[in-house]
Amino acid sequence: MIPATKNRRRLLAATLLALLCALAGCARAPHQPARPYSPLILISIDGYRADYITRGLSPNLATLASKGVRAEAMKPAFPTLTFPNHYTIVTGLYPDHHGIVNNRFTDPVTGANFVYKQQADISDPHWWGGEPLWVGVQRQGKRAATMFWPGSDVAIDGVRPQHWRQYDGNFTPTQRVEQVLQWLDLPNGQRPDFVTLYLEQVDHAGHEYGPDSPQVDAALREDDAALGRLVAGLKQRGIFPSTNIVVVSDHGMTATSPDRLIVLDKFIDMRNVTVITAGVLAGLVPKSGHEAGIDRALLAAHAHMRCWNKADIPARLHYGSNARIPPIVCVADDGWLIETQSYLDRPKHYISRGDHGYDNDDPNMRALFVAEGPAFRRGIVVPEFANVDVYPLLTRILGIKPAPNDGDIGPVAGMLAP
Ligand code: AMP
Ligand code: ZN
Ligand code: ZN
């Protein structure tokens, strides 16, 4: 009798275990292989103009493009600056809606400044609206790792990526790639589903030497070599076939010159205005009582500068409703810069040889989009689309619910594998 009771107990235990396993999914039928690790890596090469890829200096990028998807161009958001556009790409929101309306801006109520190179300014989460991808990923039970990206070292809405690094421009492209590979090497349960990688060498060289300089060509080679290391690292680990790689840029670059300066003082009395930003884009606040005069003086001031009252900015630019945008916005024509005499009088003033920030219809501002991996169709070129559409595309690949956004999956859905 005793052995029979033991058998019954064993049978009961086995049945219970089978039931638990069925509920928890711990038993896998032998014909069902484990799903491969399939991270999504979003790479930004800051200031990579859409046509740079035709220079023959980005062979690793060109290989990804030929095997996967390349867009003829990606249209950046206005203004075509680094912080607004990087944050648009990861939120699907126009700068008007996510609140990073420029690289530099002032809160009209508190007077607080956002200056993109001041860590103390940008690390205040209140500036950053919307829900960037890494926050959505973390909230929805997946893991994000950010090897730099504007906003990624800020605790937006109290959420940080599982793995992240404080921005430090001294980190070489190789060091950044090595860090990404180390994160991918983490054990299941710690390794990231979504990774960002940011490279600024091409943008730096573009500003300092101009888009057609040998220094830009060298930076293109350097960043492409980093991409090559990443791909080699993925192949070495056997995860290249299951990894989705998306390479973008935030904007293009155009040649600027000290011969193409628009000096604001020639048109307005500078005592009657506060200048929030100058350069490609000028943001001005007329002092009380001088609004009408400043308007009249600026609206047709220079053949290569367009100025608008904030309310009159063309709808196609999706720019003007945010309180952080100053009352008057002026934008220079391609290749021109707007400066003040007091800035030009400074002994150490700097006039760049290349710049961006211009109208987002300017062909020189066109950005890069290349994607490769199991989520994408192979060997196709797609027409230009807006960078707000990247967010719905990436949330679909990540399998997360998108936050409300300005993007549309329609123009980009055709690049996804059936
Ligand atoms: P821009 O001056 O508009 O060409 O922007 C590019 C510059 O932004 C880079 O060269 C960096 O100096 C800066 N930058 C990029 N990412 C970050 C970041 N996450 N935190 C602080 N500064 C950054
Ligand atoms: Zn940039
Ligand atoms: Zn730049």
Side-chain angles (χ1 to χ4, degrees), residues 46 82-83 103 116-117 119 122 149-150 153 167 198 200 203-204 207 356:
D46 196 317
T82 298
F83 268 54
N103 280 345
Y116 73 127
K117 292 191 180 176
Q119 206 59 52
I122 67 177
W149 196 277
D153 43 15
Y167 178 72
Y198 169 82
E200 72 278 64
D203 180 74
H204 267 190
H207 284 296
H356 53 86

Side-chain angles (χ1 to χ4, degrees), residues 307-386:
C307 296
W308 299 287
N309 272 307
K310 183 175 169 174
D312 300 329
I313 297 173
R316 67 180 176 82
L317 296 175
H318 301 279
Y319 195 69
S321 69
N322 196 291
R324 296 170 186 168
I325 298 170
I328 297 181
V329 173
C330 298
V331 63
D333 281 354
D334 184 276
W336 287 77
L337 294 169
I338 306 166
E339 300 295 355
T340 62
Q341 193 57 53
S342 67
Y343 179 71
L344 297 174
D345 288 343
R346 285 195 213 165
K348 281 194 175 164
H349 76 270
Y350 171 74
I351 302 295
S352 60
R353 285 288 165 170
D355 225 323
H356 53 86
Y358 299 95
D359 192 319
N360 61 348
D361 270 344
D362 179 345
N364 284 324
M365 294 300 105
R366 284 188 179 128
L368 172 76
F369 180 93
V370 165
E372 202 273 347
F376 296 98
R377 289 176 61 195
R378 302 191 71 70
I380 62 163
V381 177
V382 299
E384 178 173 331
F385 60 87

Side-chain angles (χ1 to χ4, degrees), residues 129-363:
E131 184 185 84
L133 277 168
W134 54 84
V135 172
V137 162
Q138 291 288 143
R139 283 217 172 112
Q140 296 182 46
K142 297 188 181 229
R143 280 168 296 277
T146 50
M147 185 59 252
F148 304 158
W149 196 277
S152 65
D153 43 15
V154 182
I156 295 171
D157 235 354
V159 179
R160 284 198 190 275
Q162 175 110 355
H163 312 283
W164 61 281
R165 302 291 303 232
Q166 186 76 53
Y167 178 72
D168 176 358
N170 293 320
F171 241 61
T172 65
T174 304
Q175 288 173 314
R176 299 179 198 197
V177 167
E178 291 307 319
Q179 173 64 87
V180 167
L181 291 171
Q182 280 173 28
W183 283 329
L184 299 177
D185 282 338
L186 288 168
N188 191 4
Q190 289 178 43
R191 61 195 187 184
D193 304 288
F194 173 64
V195 181
T196 68
L197 170 62
Y198 169 82
L199 302 167
E200 72 278 64
Q201 293 68 28
V202 172
D203 180 74
H204 267 190
H207 284 296
E208 205 163 335
Y209 304 101
D212 300 314
S213 62
Q215 288 85 351
V216 164
D217 289 352
L220 290 171
R221 285 195 186 90
E222 184 185 13
D223 284 355
D224 193 69
L227 188 60
R229 285 181 91 95
L230 178 68
V231 169
L234 295 171
K235 287 183 174 164
Q236 216 175 27
R237 288 158 177 78
I239 55 172
F240 180 70
S242 57
T243 300
N244 288 302
I245 301 177
V246 176
V247 190
V248 296
S249 68
D250 49 349
H251 50 69
M253 184 67 70
T254 198
T256 45
S257 157
D259 300 333
R260 290 192 293 274
L261 295 182
I262 300 161
V263 185
L264 278 176
D265 310 49
K266 290 192 178 157
F267 314 106
I268 52 174
D269 185 338
M270 299 308 285
R271 290 170 301 186
N272 299 338
V273 72
T274 304
V275 179
I276 307 287
T277 58
V280 172
L281 200 71
L284 308 173
V285 187
K287 293 194 178 148
S288 181
H290 296 282
E291 292 85 350
I294 297 288
D295 272 13
R296 262 198 312 279
L298 278 177
L299 291 184
H302 193 285
H304 294 290
M305 174 175 77
R306 279 166 300 159
C307 296
W308 299 287
N309 272 307
K310 183 175 169 174
D312 300 329
I313 297 173
R316 67 180 176 82
L317 296 175
H318 301 279
Y319 195 69
S321 69
N322 196 291
R324 296 170 186 168
I325 298 170
I328 297 181
V329 173
C330 298
V331 63
D333 281 354
D334 184 276
W336 287 77
L337 294 169
I338 306 166
E339 300 295 355
T340 62
Q341 193 57 53
S342 67
Y343 179 71
L344 297 174
D345 288 343
R346 285 195 213 165
K348 281 194 175 164
H349 76 270
Y350 171 74
I351 302 295
S352 60
R353 285 288 165 170
D355 225 323
H356 53 86
Y358 299 95
D359 192 319
N360 61 348
D361 270 344
D362 179 345

Side-chain angles (χ1 to χ4, degrees), residues 118-131:
Q118 298 292 331
Q119 206 59 52
D121 288 356
I122 67 177
S123 58
D124 185 336
H126 95 276
W127 295 117
W128 305 84
E131 184 185 84

